[in-house]
Amino acid sequence: MTGPLLSVRDLRVAFPTRQGIFEAVRGVSFDLGRERLGVVGESGSGKSMTGRAILGLVRPPGHVTAERLDLDGQPILNLPERQMRRIRGRRISMVMQDPKFSLNPVMTIGDQIIEAYRLHAGGGRDAARQKALDMLEAVQIRDPERVMTTYPHEVSGGMGQRIMIAMMLAPDPEILIADEPTSALDVSVRNEVLNIMDALVKDRGMGLIFISHDLNLVAQFCDRVLIMYAGRIVETLAARDLHHARHPYTQGLLNSLPRLDAPVDRLPVLQRQDNWRDGDPLSESLTTDFPGGL
Amino acid sequence: MSRMTRREWLLSDAPQTRRQARLGAIYQGWLTFRANRLAMFGLVILILLIFMAIFAPWLAPQSPFSQNLAGRLAPPSAEHWLGTDALGRDILSRLIHGSRITLFIVGTVALIAPIIGLFIGTVAGFAGGWTDQVLMRITDIFLAFPKLILALAFVAALGASIGNAVLALALTAWPPYARLARAETLTIRHADYIAAARLQGAGPMRLLIRHIWPLCISSLIVRVALDMAGIILSAAGLGFLGLGAQPPMPEWGAMISDGRTYILDFWWVAAMPGLAIFIVSLAFNLLGDGLRDVLDPKGAKE
Amino acid sequence: MLTVKDLNVWFGFPPDRVDAVKAASFAVAPGESFGLVGESGSGKSTILRAIAGLIDTWSGRIEVDGKAVAGRTRDRAFYRTVQMVFQDPYASLHPRHSVDAVLNEALTLQGMDDIDARITRLLEDVGLGRGFRFRYPHQLSGGQRQRVAIARALAAEPRLLLLDEPTSALDVSVQAEILNLLADLRAEHKLTYVMVSHDLAVVAHMCDRLAVMQHGRILEVMTADALRRGAGQQDYTRNLIAASTGYSRS
């Protein structure tokens, strides 16, 4: 049995403010194997900040500390920017919510993928071009030759997000962090994008951290779910057990969603309790059941 | 109310009255501004300048006009801290009195130019269509001339005096503000809150004055503060060319012009007013930088 | 209450003209809650904006309360009948106006008297206490902002409320609060709603009937019950319903 891909213990992100130190992430611990790990929470729960902290993308004055932040057993906490840059992209990639803001508007899509690939893997332009075409095909873009010559504003949101995924996958990373990758997409396109990510995890044995506010989607798509509240993980459970969640916060979130199949007169409203902030988290275990793959 | 609770009262998230809300917003801005050391430095210099202008007759050791041809071009000494000029007038006293003229020029231009610019820019941006075309082409025509040349032409036509110099500077300084205000208006024009105000039945005048102006003014203030140095230098330039303040008025630019003849042998005659212009320009720039942190967080550097 | 007949809305001029809405017709009875659903670019929000008078490039017939409207001009009586709540509560409140200023302006423009008492009542109606009256938007959460936007719309005491994705920018727990609030207000003030949303579950929860839109056309008008049963007449509707019920691995 191999160790987990990523091991996080007591991760904290703090920002100094006028009212004192504000901790956006307060002691998050989990392991990631070759699996689809969902991170769910409301805005301000620290879910995105957790993803950014792993990649070393928290900007000063934000400050990241952790007891352990290991990638394949190697500590990557607060590495110098030069070394971190080598890890970002090559070993851990990130897909953001809105592809419009992540793609360079004045470069063709082909050039961007080729550049991203050569930056990490080196090699000649022709080889990189072939790789880019393969990548676009891998994300099910039908006419990759044509798409290579277009500019970001000429493609739709779903296409843009697939291109972002292609770009992030070009260097064959071990871990993909996807921060609300489908929130800006229509439902039909969303499912296509999810299918692509799903296949990639299965075929390449990648670890996926899927950050989302959509509980039901995460339950259906991921293997394991972390539920975050106010900077902490309040519950960790297998995705198939989500509807048997025990933490009142998780239950409250699930109940407050209107459902097509179960009409109600009035939606139950989440009653927040103070002890959620600091009470004991409900976790099956920190470690993953899938260290070596699905 | 004790001191500590007054701070809490100001920083409260739930103000109880209109006054508390407004004061709280101002206090927040002040805290941001105060955090910028250089901007505070600029502010202190400018307060000193205003102080100097108000109390000039009491601060100045001698009269700025009294000539003493026997003691002309004297180097800095205990009697004349900054030396004397070609007519034996005390340079320090002239600088102190000159601060009034500088403040008058800067203040008037800073009041007239942005207001013209704000009006033309927001009307053009908000109305769109041919109104926009006409107003912006006029702006382009003004922008096409070098500022100082245009100001020279105005002064030449109106006659050389300090008032005309101010007018000329104001008339040449507004086009950049108009462009800025128009660009801001274009981004605001289609915002949902403008649409919401329309749905309340707000007419174009109300939208312009109550909804669009407050958002344009902050970036204009920042821009004006940063441009202030340029205005001082333009005013000094006009003075230097003899088209601004007329002798014997102790205008800083004119003083440099007077010192030009002796610049190699009696450097202080030109250097002292030059230094004054430099310090005040710098102070305005620093102030502008700090104001940007407060009023326009988007543009602030990381 | 509202009748829309053969509505066409377009943007730009030929050859770049984009037809956002094509020959849309529907009618909403007084007291009814009507939904418009579709994916992005289907023209559902555009219909609301055309009704509200925020777009002038449209043809067809829009009748509110039996009176036809034209172009972009709306009289004061119209604004006392129809109000709108926008999608993004972060963009629909003026950043420099306090809650007090926003409501004050709305009430003044509607020519209301006794403004002070009315502001207090409006804030109570939307579940915000007095403590919120003098706050600025940056001191409010997303849900609180949307409550202020609803209060502003209610200031004119309208009978028809146009809701443009009122909860899509909010967290699900806050969405539940706002949807409950809207349901309460509708019962209390006998309001008619036209609600645009991409979320079928939200529309099914809030509306009695709905129109499904695609590429600017209304494909079909169905009841919320039919939506819950998945009983669309068009393939597109059925696919949309299937996709909305969640992700299933292919």
Side-chain angles (χ1 to χ4, degrees):
Chain A
M1 187 164 151
T2 52
L5 271 178
L6 182 75
S7 181
V8 181
R9 289 293 177 278
D10 200 25
L11 178 74
R12 290 170 184 274
V13 182
F15 290 89
T17 68
R18 211 167 274 153
Q19 278 82 28
I21 303 264
F22 169 70
E23 275 198 305
V25 180
R26 306 182 297 142
V28 162
S29 302
F30 64 90
D31 280 353
L32 173 74
R34 300 179 190 282
E35 62 180 323
R36 292 158 297 202
L37 176 69
V39 179
V40 184
E42 296 185 280
S43 51
S45 62
K47 56 187 193 303
S48 293
M49 203 44 84
T50 303
R52 293 177 151 270
I54 292 168
L55 274 170
L57 288 175
V58 176
R59 289 211 191 106
H63 184 66
V64 184
T65 54
E67 197 179 297
R68 188 161 90 204
L69 181 59
D70 289 358
L71 173 66
D72 264 339
Q74 301 291 313
I76 56 166
L77 177 68
N78 295 332
L79 279 183
E81 180 59 25
R82 183 186 286 266
Q83 287 176 44
M84 201 62 221
R85 216 177 296 151
R86 210 172 297 158
I87 289 173
R88 270 203 298 268
R90 196 177 298 181
R91 301 185 62 191
I92 311 179
S93 280
M94 188 160 189
V95 177
M96 304 278 190
Q97 175 169 357
D98 198 333
K100 269 192 227 104
F101 300 118
S102 318
L103 291 168
N104 183 344
V106 294
M107 263 171 91
T108 64
I109 282 157
D111 284 345
Q112 290 189 53
I113 305 179
I114 290 171
E115 177 155 309
Y117 178 70
R118 288 183 65 192
L119 206 62
H120 293 291
R125 208 182 148 78
D126 287 341
R129 189 183 149 74
Q130 190 51 49
K131 180 87 180 166
L133 284 172
D134 292 348
M135 280 299 129
L136 287 176
E137 250 165 62
V139 293
Q140 293 172 17
I141 286 173
R142 276 175 213 98
D143 191 0
E145 291 277 1
R146 189 187 61 80
V147 171
M148 291 273 281
T149 60
T150 57
Y151 286 90
H153 68 267
E154 296 172 302
V155 301
S156 66
M159 177 89 90
Q161 200 58 296
R162 277 185 275 183
I163 291 164
M164 269 315 286
I165 293 173
M167 208 156 127
M168 290 300 135
L169 292 174
D172 266 323
E174 294 155 65
I175 298 175
L176 181 66
I177 300 177
D179 189 356
E180 304 264 9
T182 58
S183 304
L185 306 179
D186 284 324
V187 278
S188 51
V189 188
R190 177 187 82 186
N191 290 1
E192 281 174 40
V193 170
L194 290 179
N195 278 333
I196 292 164
M197 295 209 303
D198 188 47
L200 290 167
V201 173
K202 271 193 204 134
D203 301 346
R204 296 167 183 241
M206 238 173 28
L208 172 69
I209 298 181
F210 188 91
I211 300 170
S212 175
H213 68 281
D214 190 335
L215 265 172
N216 282 314
L217 179 69
V218 169
Q220 285 156 339
F221 178 69
C222 294
D223 305 303
R224 224 156 44 97
V225 184
L226 312 177
I227 289 110
M228 288 191 69
Y229 179 77
R232 282 169 7 113
I233 296 174
V234 292
E235 186 166 25
T236 309
L237 36 72
R240 59 180 177 281
D241 298 333
L242 183 70
H243 290 273
H244 309 293
R246 286 173 300 153
H247 198 285
Y249 175 66
T250 319
Q251 290 170 348
L253 278 188
L254 282 170
N255 290 336
S256 62
L257 273 172
R259 295 168 60 110
L260 267 183
D261 51 351
V264 288
D265 277 344
R266 215 179 153 71
L267 294 166
V269 170
L270 188 66
Q271 302 293 337
R272 288 157 204 277
Q273 280 151 26
D274 285 344
N275 63 2
W276 296 352
R277 284 182 65 85
D278 299 300
D280 285 330
L282 292 169
S283 306
E284 291 178 343
S285 71
L286 292 177
T287 50
T288 165
D289 297 336
F290 316 96
L294 293 172
Chain B
M1 210 184 289
S2 76
R3 239 190 142 62
M4 192 55 216
T5 54
R6 181 173 300 153
R7 182 186 152 86
E8 277 161 11
W9 181 77
L10 281 168
L11 290 176
S12 161
D13 262 348
Q16 297 303 312
T17 60
R18 221 162 282 175
R19 195 171 131 257
Q20 186 187 1
R22 212 162 280 157
L23 288 175
I26 294 171
Y27 186 63
Q28 288 273 1
W30 167 243
L31 286 181
T32 313
F33 185 84
R34 210 176 56 178
N36 186 335
R37 288 251 178 96
L38 285 172
M40 281 303 285
F41 179 66
L43 183 68
V44 168
I45 291 181
L46 292 176
I47 289 173
L48 286 180
L49 178 74
I50 292 170
F51 186 78
M52 198 161 97
I54 293 172
F55 299 102
W58 294 276
L59 285 174
Q62 288 160 34
S63 157
F65 303 120
S66 71
Q67 303 179 4
N68 173 12
L69 288 174
R72 67 194 288 264
L73 298 170
S77 63
E79 195 190 345
H80 301 285
W81 287 2
L82 300 181
T84 59
D85 69 2
L87 296 172
R89 296 174 294 200
D90 182 47
I91 292 181
L92 177 64
S93 305
R94 284 179 70 76
L95 281 183
I96 292 175
H97 278 271
S99 64
R100 289 182 159 190
I101 300 170
T102 303
L103 272 183
F104 166 73
I105 294 174
V106 162
T108 323
V109 174
L111 214 62
I112 300 174
I115 289 178
I116 301 177
L118 177 70
F119 192 78
I120 291 183
T122 50
V123 168
F126 190 64
W130 64 266
T131 318
D132 186 22
Q133 289 293 328
V134 170
L135 288 176
M136 286 336 276
R137 291 303 80 78
I138 293 174
T139 312
D140 285 344
I141 291 170
F142 272 87
L143 271 176
F145 290 99
K147 234 195 215 168
L148 199 61
I149 305 281
L150 197 60
L152 272 177
F154 273 120
V155 178
L158 297 171
S161 82
I162 188 85
N164 287 342
V166 167
L167 199 64
L169 286 174
L171 284 175
T172 54
W174 66 265
Y177 302 118
R179 297 225 130 214
L180 185 70
R182 175 173 175 270
E184 292 264 321
T185 309
L186 287 181
T187 61
I188 301 167
R189 181 166 70 148
H190 292 294
D192 279 350
Y193 51 84
I194 299 293
R198 260 189 226 281
L199 287 187
Q200 305 294 340
M205 276 312 278
R206 174 179 277 266
L207 288 175
L208 201 63
I209 293 170
R210 301 224 20 188
H211 294 256
I212 293 180
W213 280 11
L215 289 170
C216 292
I217 281 174
S218 53
S219 56
L220 279 185
I221 289 177
V222 172
R223 182 69 193 267
V224 169
L226 291 173
D227 282 356
M228 210 66 107
I231 294 172
I232 295 178
L233 292 176
S234 302
L238 283 182
F240 180 82
L241 294 171
L243 294 169
Q246 294 306 302
M249 280 175 89
E251 202 269 328
W252 293 354
M255 285 168 71
I256 298 181
S257 171
D258 290 345
R260 180 189 43 168
T261 335
Y262 319 103
I263 200 155
L264 291 178
D265 302 314
F266 311 99
W267 55 269
W268 56 88
V269 182
M272 292 307 170
L275 200 64
I277 292 173
F278 168 74
I279 292 173
V280 173
S281 305
L282 183 72
F284 270 114
N285 255 324
L286 295 176
L287 179 82
D289 222 36
L291 282 178
R292 178 164 53 200
D293 291 349
V294 177
L295 296 172
D296 185 21
K298 282 174 300 184
K301 54 189 180 293
E302 302 240 326
Chain C
M1 188 71 219
L2 171 71
T3 312
V4 173
K5 205 159 168 34
D6 287 327
L7 178 68
N8 295 294
V9 185
W10 62 91
F11 298 109
F13 300 96
D16 297 324
R17 175 169 144 160
V18 177
D19 290 290
V21 179
K22 299 167 206 158
S25 300
F26 61 91
V28 183
E32 195 186 11
S33 177
F34 188 81
L36 286 169
V37 300
E39 303 199 318
S40 52
S42 62
K44 52 192 193 307
S45 294
T46 308
I47 290 185
L48 284 200
R49 289 183 167 260
I51 295 171
L54 296 172
I55 299 172
D56 55 1
T57 50
W58 59 273
S59 66
R61 191 169 176 80
I62 298 175
E63 272 178 33
V64 174
D65 216 7
K67 287 193 286 284
V69 296
R72 245 173 101 152
T73 49
R74 301 284 187 274
D75 54 12
R76 181 155 289 183
F78 177 85
Y79 295 126
R80 294 195 72 150
T81 315
V82 182
Q83 280 294 323
M84 183 159 169
V85 176
F86 294 85
Q87 170 176 9
D88 184 358
Y90 292 88
S92 70
L93 294 181
H94 194 288
R96 295 275 157 94
H97 288 180
S98 68
V99 175
D100 180 60
V102 168
L103 298 181
N104 214 323
E105 175 168 57
L107 289 165
T108 313
L109 283 168
Q110 299 301 334
M112 301 280 185
D113 49 3
D114 201 11
I115 285 175
D116 219 46
R118 276 177 195 270
I119 290 179
T120 313
R121 196 158 67 238
L122 278 174
L123 286 176
E124 273 166 18
D125 270 359
V126 296
L128 293 174
R130 284 156 178 274
F132 290 91
R133 178 163 171 186
F134 298 104
R135 290 200 196 186
Y136 287 90
H138 68 261
Q139 295 169 317
L140 301 172
S141 69
Q144 289 164 349
R145 286 170 185 234
Q146 200 60 304
R147 285 172 192 266
V148 174
I150 293 170
R152 172 178 59 193
L154 290 178
E157 296 178 353
R159 280 177 295 144
L160 173 62
L161 213 52
L162 307 174
L163 305 165
D164 187 1
E165 304 246 17
T167 59
S168 66
L170 305 175
D171 280 323
V172 289
S173 61
V174 182
Q175 163 170 293
E177 291 171 15
I178 297 291
L179 292 181
N180 284 342
L181 171 69
L182 287 170
D184 292 345
L185 290 171
R186 183 173 157 225
E188 197 180 318
H189 298 279
K190 314 250 178 316
L191 296 171
T192 308
Y193 284 170
V194 176
M195 181 172 190
V196 160
S197 180
H198 68 281
D199 188 330
L200 294 185
V202 167
V203 167
H205 175 72
M206 290 296 293
C207 301
D208 313 314
R209 288 190 308 139
L210 58 129
V212 181
M213 295 193 65
Q214 186 196 19
H215 303 322
R217 289 185 192 282
I218 292 184
L219 290 184
E220 61 180 304
V221 176
M222 65 202 295
T223 62
D225 286 335
L227 172 68
R228 288 186 193 280
R229 289 197 309 272
Q233 285 166 5
Q234 307 276 336
D235 286 345
Y236 176 78
T237 312
R238 287 194 292 273
N239 289 337
L240 191 67
I241 297 172
S244 298
T245 47
Y247 169 79
S248 57
R249 270 178 206 123
S250 51

